[in-house]
Amino acid sequence: MSETHIVLDKSAMAAAGRGNALASRLIHRAHAEAGWFLYATACALVEADRARPGTAEHLAALPGITVLDLDLPAALAMAEQQTWADAHTEHAAQPALDRPSGATVATTVPQQWEGRPVRVLDLGP
């Protein structure tokens, strides 16, 4: 069985809070289907909550979403980036022991991820 790993960026988190149908489907699949994993990085949650208050608490309470803490490897990777949210999201999308093929970044602004070493899932209209 193939696994699907997806990391929500701050725009995808805000979109989920606004009722974006594609974001809602991802959340449902991660909760209801085996092999689907959905992640929210702590730094992106903070930025999403600043843009749309209540977003972090709402997403963190959903059973299908795993919140990824800011650990030392993520903090070191962030030193090279412009924003903590994007850097933490990009770091989380890289291959890891539990995600050997890495993860796809779900976003409503795919152009923001151009030129970065991540796969992108466009949640835009």
Side-chain angles (χ1 to χ4, degrees):
M1 170 200 251
S2 178
E3 293 183 346
T4 301
H5 297 271
I6 298 174
V7 181
L8 299 171
D9 77 354
K10 62 187 177 202
S11 72
M13 293 179 197
R18 290 190 308 272
N20 178 290
L22 294 175
S24 294
R25 285 184 197 146
L26 288 177
I27 293 167
H28 172 75
R29 285 188 121 168
H31 175 66
E33 294 183 33
W36 278 79
F37 301 92
L38 194 58
Y39 307 95
T41 63
C43 292
L45 269 175
V46 169
E47 289 300 315
D49 200 71
R50 286 180 179 164
R52 190 176 200 299
T55 299
E57 188 173 352
H58 173 72
L59 288 175
L62 294 173
I65 296 180
T66 300
V67 176
L68 300 176
D69 294 331
L70 179 60
D71 59 8
L72 180 58
L76 294 174
M78 289 175 16
E80 303 170 9
Q81 301 291 328
Q82 294 287 331
T83 71
W84 286 30
D86 292 347
H88 198 185
T89 300
E90 183 176 323
H91 175 76
Q94 301 308 305
L97 290 176
D98 59 338
R99 298 178 300 279
S101 296
T104 300
V105 174
T107 184
T108 61
V109 286
Q111 64 276 13
Q112 171 182 317
W113 295 98
E114 288 177 5
R116 294 185 181 197
V118 296
R119 295 182 308 270
V120 173
L121 175 62
D122 186 356
L123 301 182

